[in-house]
Amino acid sequence: MIKKEICKIISQKEIAQDIFQLNVEADFVNEINAPGQFVHIRVAKALDPLLRRPISISSVDKRNSQFTMIYRKEGKGTTLLAEKGPGMLLDILGPLGNGFPVNEVKAGETALLVGGGIGVPPLYELSKQLTAKGVKVIHVLGFQTESAVFYEKEFLEYGDTYITTVDGSYGKKGYVTDVIKELDFDCLYTCGPTPMLKAIEKQYSHKKVFLSLEERMGCGVGACFACVCKTSNELDDVSYKKVCSDGPVFRAGEVLI
Amino acid sequence: MIKKEICKIISQKEIAQDIFQLNVEADFVNEINAPGQFVHIRVAKALDPLLRRPISISSVDKRNSQFTMIYRKEGKGTTLLAEKGPGMLLDILGPLGNGFPVNEVKAGETALLVGGGIGVPPLYELSKQLTAKGVKVIHVLGFQTESAVFYEKEFLEYGDTYITTVDGSYGKKGYVTDVIKELDFDCLYTCGPTPMLKAIEKQYSHKKVFLSLEERMGCGVGACFACVCKTSNELDDVSYKKVCSDGPVFRAGEVLI
Amino acid sequence: MSRLNIQLPGLNLKNPIMPASGCFGFGREYSQFYDLSKLGAIMIKATTVEPRFGNPTPRVAETSSGMLNAIGLQNPGLEKVVSNELPWLSQYDVPIIANVAGSLEEDYIEVAAEISKASNVHALELNISCPNVKTGGIAFGTIPEVARQLTRRVKEVSEVPVYVKLSPNVTNIVEMAKAVEDGGADGLTMINTLVGMRLDLKTGKPILANRTGGLSGPAIKPVALRMIYEVSQAVNIPIIGMGGIESAEEVIEFFYAGASAVAVGTANFVDPFVCPTIIEELPSLLDTLGYEHISECRGRSWQEHGQLAYHRA
Amino acid sequence: MSRLNIQLPGLNLKNPIMPASGCFGFGREYSQFYDLSKLGAIMIKATTVEPRFGNPTPRVAETSSGMLNAIGLQNPGLEKVVSNELPWLSQYDVPIIANVAGSLEEDYIEVAAEISKASNVHALELNISCPNVKTGGIAFGTIPEVARQLTRRVKEVSEVPVYVKLSPNVTNIVEMAKAVEDGGADGLTMINTLVGMRLDLKTGKPILANRTGGLSGPAIKPVALRMIYEVSQAVNIPIIGMGGIESAEEVIEFFYAGASAVAVGTANFVDPFVCPTIIEELPSLLDTLGYEHISECRGRSWQEHGQLAYHRA
Ligand SMILES: Cc1cc2nc3c(=O)[nH]c(=O)nc-3n(C[C@H](O)[C@H](O)[C@H](O)COP(=O)(O)OP(=O)(O)OC[C@H]3O[C@@H](n4cnc5c(N)ncnc54)[C@H](O)[C@@H]3O)c2cc1C
Ligand SMILES: Cc1cc2nc3c(=O)[nH]c(=O)nc-3n(C[C@H](O)[C@H](O)[C@H](O)COP(=O)(O)OP(=O)(O)OC[C@H]3O[C@@H](n4cnc5c(N)ncnc54)[C@H](O)[C@@H]3O)c2cc1C
Ligand SMILES: Cc1cc2nc3c(=O)[nH]c(=O)nc-3n(C[C@H](O)[C@H](O)[C@H](O)COP(=O)(O)O)c2cc1C
Ligand SMILES: Cc1cc2nc3c(=O)[nH]c(=O)nc-3n(C[C@H](O)[C@H](O)[C@H](O)COP(=O)(O)O)c2cc1C
Ligand code: FES
Ligand code: FES
């Protein structure tokens, strides 16, 4: 059940350059049913910026009715969001969408979690849940440069963690795809920029792969048709899925990316 | 010299129902040259609400580089303003306009200060300055109802203070004009709703009277011609004064109200 | 509440608040949030003869106090709307206004004839003003004679009253309104979106794949109000007003301008509860302002007693 | 800075940033804040033959991310502008673009002939699009043939290049642009304000004494960009773009759309330093985006190399 809730900010801190970790209290954490779901945030009371911002849930603490998001301060909305402090209130719609299917991999099997930049956060909760199930987890996380790297320590707690940077300033120089070639796995979960998702989908068409997509959104709940993508397994050309309500996570091959 | 300054809020408190007293620190307090000048405040960083809000300076503390405003929380802008707390920053343009001429009354003479509702605040600094000069000051302050009354004690420190309320819930029932009929004075200074100003201007056409006007503003500095009023002492019908830069204080009879 | 009911051709509205076409799908999503029977009516997404995928993405871009969209009339097509969506909606006690779109006159006629037979469709909204379809659409909405004729032809086949949705992208909105009134329209809905654009700072290219899109939201409210103000004084058919509404206060403002009911579009995306919230807040706002019934507000901007015969239920 | 200079008919601009007409008076007020010689040019307040008081107040009303104004072309009249304002402005090293308004064709001609003789007036801006004057004005701006002829007549008497200011309140902006180009316009300025309205919640009456007013500010930016995008591809004269600009990023967006220079209006009221701030920020923004000269940005939305002959100084 999707809720609209005025949530209290518990804490916010900058964990890498322009990368903020935001922790809020919300009754709807009980409704979160899979890693990779997201929320839709209204960052201002006034009418500019107007639209909500979609941000993934990066970890959930059901006991304390809290959840965490990690986002990059980029444009107008996230800049305003970054200015908020503990105790302030935030109008949040969530949880939204369908997350990563944790049951597609069994205890003892290996899951490869591949994240690019600001696509990394939702993999954290996924890693926690897979590990709890007894799945072996390997993380490959790509960033632009050293100052953008975050959560390496946190991921290391759950499994091997490879970091790549485009400029080689940290970890291995290059792209995540360079690293994952060498790794073996039963199931791959990924979230990040579209070119990365495309490359992975192509490389592993024979494997079990789940991708989390991004698309510009209006409503975030399936009503406005802003975020559609074509399905690839149909013969006609009018079939579609909505990233916000059918996704954001799809099985590789399910939709055209 | 008008300055645009990012000012720190020192304190804000609700002193009557929906009436807020806001205290800020600003270098430009040194530029304030008369009671009745105002500032133009940008209440949001984002573009809604877009325009600045004009608010009078109600008292000045040059030693601490601070000044105080008193405003009513009414629409969009003042509602956002009322949410701000100590330490937060506010983009203020000021000081603007021409205030009450303190030199129009001499030590030993009597000044009558007549305020209506949210027109009361600028009279406070005026009262302070007149008293300091040795002028005898009498205040007549009109409000809607008891819960809207503010600053009675503060004004009492400087001189006799009559309060009226429209519904009679506090002080004398009725309008300020009912009270001032009974009082004697050498010079009258007033700020408040237009009908009140009109009544006073008419009643005391033979006296020395200064009125502070309100008009919807764009720029606040004289450039946009939003706030003009016709001058009354000219034969043509294109002569005008700008409330923001020629006023807000005018000598009675100077402009058509 | 008997203070909010409004009677319009074909529409017995318990209140004058309805979601605008394209901003509420076919109701399923928002039914997760509240009981759709609370609404005065629902304007469903534009329906065309054939299913349409619409435009490539990105389809939306934000602007100051507004948004651009270029959905491109994505919809499952007449058949599915009639067989799936309308029957699903019939579980709610709410009249449906079916938004009818097409590229050719025949398309409009086919959709209108068919969809107006559905028992819960109480009126049609002729979308002659969608800025996001390449053929037809926009021309229907900018040439008075073409609009008049289309209205007349659709009226001939429709089993329910026909409202025509006007485009604000014209020099003379009054002329357009009069033309469709003359063509037999039972009412007007206005305004559709203003054509606008945003460019991507990095690439220099339009953000929307369709390049241009329709501007909606609070940014366009002053334009909507002005047009309703002008048109309501010039025609004798009622207007369902829309364009940037997001609060009860704004509903009243639209009534003052001359609207007899209103639709809420973009604001649903900002607050999924916006429609029921407005409906709840209206009675106390009427109290504050001193009106017994919302219909008393209509046309106050241009007349003392803005109440016309078709108004009160 | 040689990265910002732009050469347009009559105008040798050290940078492409200028305050828009009506939002900067005749410069005196903003000269308290900074040295006006920093500006690329100044578009002064509309000048008419006779002094005008303009409309009654209230003359402005706020809207979401925008404002309505109905100043009504208040100005001291041709004689005083020529004898007081222009000489005062001549102390600054900045070209003046004189905004010319009137009710009749003869008014425009009289103002144009006279004001174009002033040594610091480097171009005229023919205001055929002011929505706030009752006679003339608006019609000039919506009928192509009328606009063409007015442009031609003014060109005959003007001693400096003539830019025509287009109204966005038309069905077909390209047709208007082509008409004035055909009439001999040396350039276009666009857009003027959209006609809009706000109602007072308590009284039900329009907030503006003039009832309707012109909508400006960030709210209209998407409409301005779309129109500049369309027009810049259809004409061979340069466009000075305006409508909601308040940052260096938006200047680039207007260039991408097809503008060759820009004007900043409403934003001056929000931040009196907006023009010099933008001018200061542009070079580093060009660095970030990888452009050597701002002219490289022009028309990127519709062509690979948006650089036309008249562009680079
Ligand atoms: C399902 C989903 C999950 C996401 N999770 C995260 C996350 O966990 N952390 C994070 O940093 N970012 C995440 N994003 C991207 C994030 O939504 C954008 O970075 C953010 O909306 C940018 O807003 P802004 O105000 O900074 O930028 P602006 O440029 O001011 O935004 C303008 C408009 O474009 C939209 N927009 C801009 N960039 C994007 C984008 N990349 N994707 C979708 N809409 C965009 C905005 O929402 C807004 O409507 C996610 C996006 C989606 C769709
Ligand atoms: C010279 C001057 C001094 C003032 N001093 C004070 C003061 O000391 N304390 C105080 O409470 N109020 C004062 N006011 C009135 C104050 O400016 C308005 O109450 C305030 O702008 C309302 O803003 P809002 O966002 O609450 O209302 P909204 O309705 O959201 O405002 C919408 C627009 O209308 C304008 N507006 C609305 N009401 C007024 C008004 N009465 N006068 C001018 N513009 C208005 C706003 O500035 C804004 O542009 C003063 C006005 C002027 C002109
Ligand atoms: C995403 C989106 C899709 C829309 N689709 C349609 C549509 O299919 N048919 C139609 O007539 N109007 C459509 N509109 C226009 C709205 O119905 C409405 O006229 C307009 O958005 C102005 O109202 P608003 O400012 O409240 O959104 C759409 C608007 C949006 C934002
Ligand atoms: C208060 C005000 C007065 C204006 N006066 C004039 C004018 O005299 N002549 C004119 O051509 N345009 C006038 N305009 C229009 C502006 O020059 C500009 O075209 C419009 O405001 C859009 O730009 P902006 O959004 O940056 O303000 C005026 C605009 C405002 C807000
Ligand atoms: S964002 Fe509206 S349908 Fe997905
Ligand atoms: S507010 Fe602009 S001239 Fe006074």
Side-chain angles (χ1 to χ4, degrees):
Chain A
M1 180 78 188
I2 306 170
K3 296 271 165 64
K4 190 187 87 115
E5 199 175 323
I6 307 298
C7 306
K8 198 166 86 190
I9 296 178
I10 302 299
S11 66
Q12 164 141 265
K13 71 166 184 241
E14 192 168 358
I15 56 171
Q17 199 186 330
D18 286 335
I19 306 289
F20 288 77
Q21 175 186 290
L22 174 62
N23 197 22
V24 305
E25 196 174 85
D27 290 339
F28 69 67
V29 294
N30 291 310
E31 312 279 340
I32 299 173
N33 59 34
Q37 286 187 293
F38 67 102
V39 296
H40 217 23
I41 304 183
R42 184 166 181 187
V43 298
K45 256 199 197 172
L47 301 170
D48 173 62
L50 185 68
L51 297 175
R52 288 172 181 269
R53 285 354 191 211
I55 302 287
S56 302
I57 295 164
S58 73
S59 66
V60 186
D61 174 358
K62 292 209 180 187
R63 222 169 18 134
N64 293 309
S65 288
Q66 295 184 6
F67 72 97
T68 302
M69 296 163 277
I70 295 169
Y71 65 92
R72 181 163 53 215
K73 178 174 133 180
E74 200 153 2
K76 216 165 171 172
T78 49
T79 300
L80 283 169
L81 191 57
E83 288 169 10
K84 312 224 180 237
M88 294 176 80
L89 301 176
L90 214 48
D91 176 346
I92 306 185
L93 193 64
L96 300 175
N98 297 297
F100 292 107
V102 178
N103 293 329
E104 291 283 342
V105 55
K106 288 196 285 279
E109 290 187 331
T110 300
L112 189 59
L113 276 52
V114 185
I118 208 58
V120 167
L123 302 178
Y124 183 59
E125 177 67 24
L126 176 62
S127 187
K128 282 209 282 191
Q129 294 195 16
L130 291 173
T131 312
K133 272 189 54 169
V135 174
K136 182 174 177 248
V137 179
I138 306 173
H139 314 105
V140 184
L141 312 175
F143 300 93
Q144 280 298 321
T145 184
E146 182 171 13
S147 62
V149 176
F150 60 91
Y151 262 42
E152 182 183 15
K153 254 201 345 254
E154 284 82 350
F155 277 99
L156 266 171
E157 275 187 41
Y158 297 105
D160 288 351
T161 301
Y162 302 86
I163 306 281
T164 67
T165 53
V166 178
D167 63 3
S169 55
Y170 192 83
K172 196 175 150 71
K173 181 179 162 86
Y175 296 95
V176 291
T177 39
D178 305 334
V179 173
I180 59 178
K181 274 198 289 250
E182 342 246 285
L183 299 168
D184 210 33
F185 59 88
D186 300 293
C187 183
L188 189 156
Y189 299 96
T190 181
C191 181
T194 308
M196 183 188 102
L197 302 183
K198 275 190 180 156
I200 291 173
E201 184 174 52
K202 205 170 144 203
Q203 205 167 325
Y204 295 107
S205 55
H206 55 295
K207 286 267 200 175
K208 204 191 271 181
V209 173
F210 295 92
L211 318 143
S212 181
L213 304 190
E214 252 187 33
E215 191 55 78
R216 299 224 170 203
M217 292 185 176
C219 65
V221 300
C224 75
F225 294 83
C227 66
V228 299
C229 45
K230 292 204 168 162
T231 56
S232 38
N233 55 353
E234 308 251 352
L235 292 170
D236 63 67
D237 63 299
V238 295
S239 291
Y240 63 89
K241 295 278 180 183
K242 294 172 191 160
V243 171
C244 68
S245 53
D246 298 319
V249 174
F250 295 97
R251 185 185 289 268
E254 197 179 350
V255 295
L256 293 171
I257 55 173
Chain B
M1 180 77 186
I2 305 170
K3 296 272 164 62
K4 189 186 86 110
E5 199 175 324
I6 307 296
C7 305
K8 196 165 87 192
I9 296 179
I10 301 299
S11 66
Q12 162 141 266
K13 71 166 183 241
E14 192 169 356
I15 57 170
Q17 200 187 328
D18 287 336
I19 306 289
F20 288 77
Q21 176 186 290
L22 174 62
N23 197 23
V24 306
E25 195 175 86
D27 290 339
F28 69 66
V29 294
N30 291 311
E31 312 279 341
I32 299 172
N33 59 34
Q37 285 188 295
F38 67 102
V39 296
H40 218 24
I41 304 183
R42 185 166 180 188
V43 298
K45 256 198 197 175
L47 301 171
D48 173 62
L50 185 69
L51 297 175
R52 289 172 181 269
R53 297 318 197 240
I55 302 286
S56 301
I57 295 164
S58 72
S59 66
V60 186
D61 173 357
K62 293 209 179 184
R63 219 166 21 131
N64 292 308
S65 287
Q66 295 183 7
F67 72 97
T68 303
M69 295 164 276
I70 296 169
Y71 65 92
R72 182 164 52 214
K73 178 175 136 182
E74 199 152 4
K76 218 166 169 170
T78 48
T79 300
L80 283 168
L81 191 57
E83 287 169 11
K84 312 224 180 238
M88 295 177 78
L89 301 175
L90 213 49
D91 176 345
I92 305 185
L93 192 65
L96 300 175
N98 297 299
F100 292 107
V102 178
N103 293 330
E104 291 282 343
V105 53
K106 287 193 285 279
E109 290 187 328
T110 300
L112 187 59
L113 277 53
V114 184
I118 208 59
V120 167
L123 301 179
Y124 184 58
E125 178 67 26
L126 176 62
S127 187
K128 281 209 285 191
Q129 294 194 15
L130 290 174
T131 312
K133 271 190 54 169
V135 173
K136 180 171 178 253
V137 179
I138 306 172
H139 314 104
V140 183
L141 313 175
F143 299 93
Q144 279 299 319
T145 185
E146 182 172 13
S147 63
V149 176
F150 61 91
Y151 261 44
E152 183 183 14
K153 252 199 349 252
E154 284 81 350
F155 276 101
L156 267 171
E157 273 186 44
Y158 296 106
D160 288 350
T161 301
Y162 301 86
I163 307 281
T164 68
T165 54
V166 178
D167 63 3
S169 55
Y170 192 85
K172 197 175 150 73
K173 181 178 161 81
Y175 296 95
V176 290
T177 38
D178 304 334
V179 172
I180 59 177
K181 275 198 288 248
E182 340 248 281
L183 299 169
D184 210 33
F185 58 88
D186 299 294
C187 183
L188 190 155
Y189 299 96
T190 180
C191 181
T194 308
M196 183 188 103
L197 303 183
K198 275 190 180 156
I200 291 172
E201 185 175 51
K202 204 169 145 204
Q203 204 167 327
Y204 295 107
S205 56
H206 54 295
K207 287 268 197 173
K208 205 189 271 183
V209 174
F210 295 92
L211 318 143
S212 180
L213 304 190
E214 254 186 33
E215 192 53 78
R216 299 223 169 203
M217 293 186 175
C219 64
V221 300
C224 76
F225 293 84
C227 66
V228 298
C229 45
K230 292 204 167 160
T231 55
S232 38
N233 55 352
E234 308 252 352
L235 293 172
D236 63 69
D237 63 300
V238 296
S239 291
Y240 62 89
K241 295 277 177 181
K242 295 173 192 159
V243 171
C244 69
S245 53
D246 298 318
V249 175
F250 296 97
R251 184 185 289 268
E254 196 179 352
V255 295
L256 293 172
I257 53 173
Chain C
M1 276 294 297
S2 65
R3 301 175 67 180
L4 299 180
N5 61 326
I6 294 277
Q7 194 82 39
L8 297 179
L11 299 166
N12 196 338
L13 308 172
K14 43 181 152 337
N15 64 65
I17 311 299
M18 56 193 91
S21 179
C23 302
F24 208 73
F26 295 92
R28 289 182 196 267
E29 294 77 17
Y30 289 98
S31 74
Q32 301 170 78
F33 295 105
Y34 58 88
D35 176 5
L36 302 185
S37 301
K38 288 186 182 175
L39 297 167
I42 296 175
M43 293 169 142
I44 56 174
K45 177 95 192 120
T47 300
T48 54
V49 177
E50 300 297 333
R52 286 179 63 114
F53 178 76
N55 292 319
T57 59
R59 292 177 172 188
V60 296
E62 196 184 49
T63 72
S64 296
S65 295
M67 69 178 279
L68 292 168
N69 89 81
I71 307 297
L73 299 182
Q74 177 158 22
N75 79 94
L78 178 59
E79 204 183 298
K80 282 211 181 119
V81 170
V82 169
S83 65
N84 293 346
E85 305 300 339
L86 289 171
W88 181 85
L89 276 165
S90 71
Q91 69 184 289
Y92 296 101
D93 171 29
V94 61
I96 304 301
I97 302 175
N99 189 276
V100 174
S103 305
L104 306 170
E105 202 174 274
E106 296 77 64
D107 302 340
Y108 282 96
I109 292 170
E110 187 175 342
V111 176
E114 196 55 33
I115 209 165
S116 66
K117 290 182 191 142
S119 65
N120 54 341
V121 169
H122 292 210
L124 301 187
E125 181 182 36
L126 215 56
N127 182 356
I128 59 169
S129 51
C130 181
N132 298 324
V133 260
K134 288 285 152 54
T135 49
I138 194 78
F140 286 117
T142 56
I143 306 167
E145 190 39 46
V146 175
R148 184 193 342 254
Q149 191 193 317
L150 181 70
T151 307
R152 188 163 286 150
R153 302 275 316 267
V154 168
K155 269 297 283 182
E156 281 166 13
V157 302
S158 174
E159 312 214 340
V160 296
V162 174
Y163 292 71
V164 179
K165 186 158 186 177
L166 299 184
S167 165
N169 303 289
V170 297
T171 308
N172 190 336
I173 189 80
V174 168
E175 187 187 21
M176 288 301 304
K178 283 185 160 165
V180 303
E181 179 181 38
D182 190 54
D186 299 285
L188 301 169
T189 67
M190 58 193 288
I191 59 174
N192 211 320
T193 53
L194 282 162
V195 185
M197 189 174 200
R198 284 297 308 274
L199 289 309
D200 185 293
L201 196 60
K202 282 178 199 139
T203 65
K205 300 296 172 194
I207 292 179
L208 297 176
N210 187 52
R211 299 179 159 254
T212 61
L215 180 64
S216 64
I220 70 170
K221 195 183 78 164
V223 176
L225 286 167
R226 185 266 297 182
M227 289 186 164
I228 291 167
Y229 171 80
E230 287 175 359
V231 169
S232 63
Q233 295 176 73
V235 300
N236 291 305
I237 49 177
I239 297 170
I240 302 176
M242 64 196 80
I245 294 175
E246 43 94 43
S247 70
E249 283 78 8
E250 290 169 326
V251 172
I252 302 296
E253 212 180 329
F254 273 74
F255 269 74
Y256 286 156
S260 298
V262 301
V264 178
T266 305
N268 290 288
F269 309 157
V270 179
D271 177 4
F273 293 98
V274 63
C275 289
T277 303
I278 288 175
I279 293 165
E280 243 166 68
E281 289 177 355
L282 273 172
S284 74
L285 180 57
L286 290 177
D287 283 342
T288 308
L289 298 172
Y291 300 111
E292 189 49 47
H293 195 277
I294 192 167
S295 59
E296 293 158 28
C297 301
R298 184 181 174 271
R300 288 230 158 215
S301 59
W302 45 264
Q303 61 178 25
E304 256 338 288
H305 304 288
Q307 223 166 306
L308 302 185
Y310 52 77
H311 233 141
R312 199 68 162 268
Chain D
M1 275 293 298
S2 65
R3 301 175 68 179
L4 299 180
N5 61 329
I6 293 277
Q7 193 82 39
L8 297 179
L11 300 166
N12 196 339
L13 307 173
K14 42 181 153 340
N15 64 65
I17 310 300
M18 57 193 90
S21 178
C23 302
F24 207 74
F26 295 92
R28 290 184 196 265
E29 293 78 16
Y30 289 98
S31 74
Q32 301 171 76
F33 294 104
Y34 58 88
D35 177 4
L36 303 185
S37 301
K38 289 186 181 175
L39 297 167
I42 296 175
M43 292 168 143
I44 55 174
K45 177 92 193 123
T47 300
T48 53
V49 177
E50 300 297 333
R52 284 179 64 113
F53 177 77
N55 293 320
T57 58
R59 292 177 171 189
V60 297
E62 196 184 47
T63 72
S64 296
S65 294
M67 68 178 277
L68 292 168
N69 89 79
I71 307 297
L73 299 182
Q74 177 158 22
N75 78 93
L78 178 59
E79 204 184 297
K80 282 212 179 119
V81 170
V82 169
S83 64
N84 293 346
E85 304 301 339
L86 289 171
W88 181 84
L89 276 164
S90 70
Q91 68 185 288
Y92 297 101
D93 172 28
V94 61
I96 304 301
I97 302 175
N99 189 276
V100 174
S103 305
L104 306 170
E105 201 175 272
E106 296 78 66
D107 302 339
Y108 282 96
I109 291 170
E110 186 174 343
V111 177
E114 196 54 35
I115 210 165
S116 67
K117 290 183 190 140
S119 64
N120 54 342
V121 170
H122 292 212
L124 301 186
E125 181 182 37
L126 215 57
N127 182 358
I128 59 169
S129 50
C130 180
N132 297 326
V133 258
K134 288 284 155 54
T135 47
I138 194 78
F140 287 117
T142 56
I143 305 167
E145 190 39 47
V146 176
R148 184 193 344 256
Q149 191 193 317
L150 181 69
T151 307
R152 187 164 288 148
R153 300 276 314 268
V154 168
K155 269 296 284 181
E156 281 166 13
V157 302
S158 174
E159 313 215 340
V160 295
V162 174
Y163 292 70
V164 178
K165 186 157 187 177
L166 299 184
S167 165
N169 303 290
V170 296
T171 309
N172 190 337
I173 189 82
V174 168
E175 187 187 19
M176 288 301 304
K178 284 183 159 166
V180 302
E181 179 181 37
D182 190 54
D186 298 285
L188 302 170
T189 67
M190 58 193 288
I191 57 175
N192 210 319
T193 53
L194 283 162
V195 185
M197 188 174 199
R198 284 297 309 276
L199 289 310
D200 184 294
L201 196 59
K202 284 181 198 137
T203 65
K205 300 297 172 195
I207 292 180
L208 298 176
N210 188 50
R211 301 183 156 249
T212 62
L215 181 64
S216 64
I220 69 169
K221 195 183 77 163
V223 175
L225 287 167
R226 185 266 298 181
M227 289 186 165
I228 291 167
Y229 171 80
E230 287 175 359
V231 168
S232 62
Q233 295 176 71
V235 300
N236 291 306
I237 48 177
I239 296 170
I240 302 177
M242 65 197 79
I245 294 175
E246 43 96 42
S247 70
E249 283 79 8
E250 290 169 326
V251 172
I252 302 296
E253 211 179 331
F254 273 73
F255 269 73
Y256 286 156
S260 298
V262 301
V264 178
T266 304
N268 290 289
F269 310 157
V270 180
D271 177 5
F273 292 99
V274 63
C275 288
T277 303
I278 288 176
I279 293 165
E280 243 165 69
E281 289 177 355
L282 273 172
S284 73
L285 180 57
L286 290 178
D287 283 343
T288 308
L289 298 172
Y291 300 110
E292 188 50 46
H293 195 276
I294 192 165
S295 59
E296 293 158 29
C297 301
R298 183 182 174 271
R300 290 230 154 213
S301 59
W302 44 264
Q303 61 179 24
E304 257 338 287
H305 305 288
Q307 221 167 307
L308 301 185
Y310 53 76
H311 233 138
R312 198 70 160 267

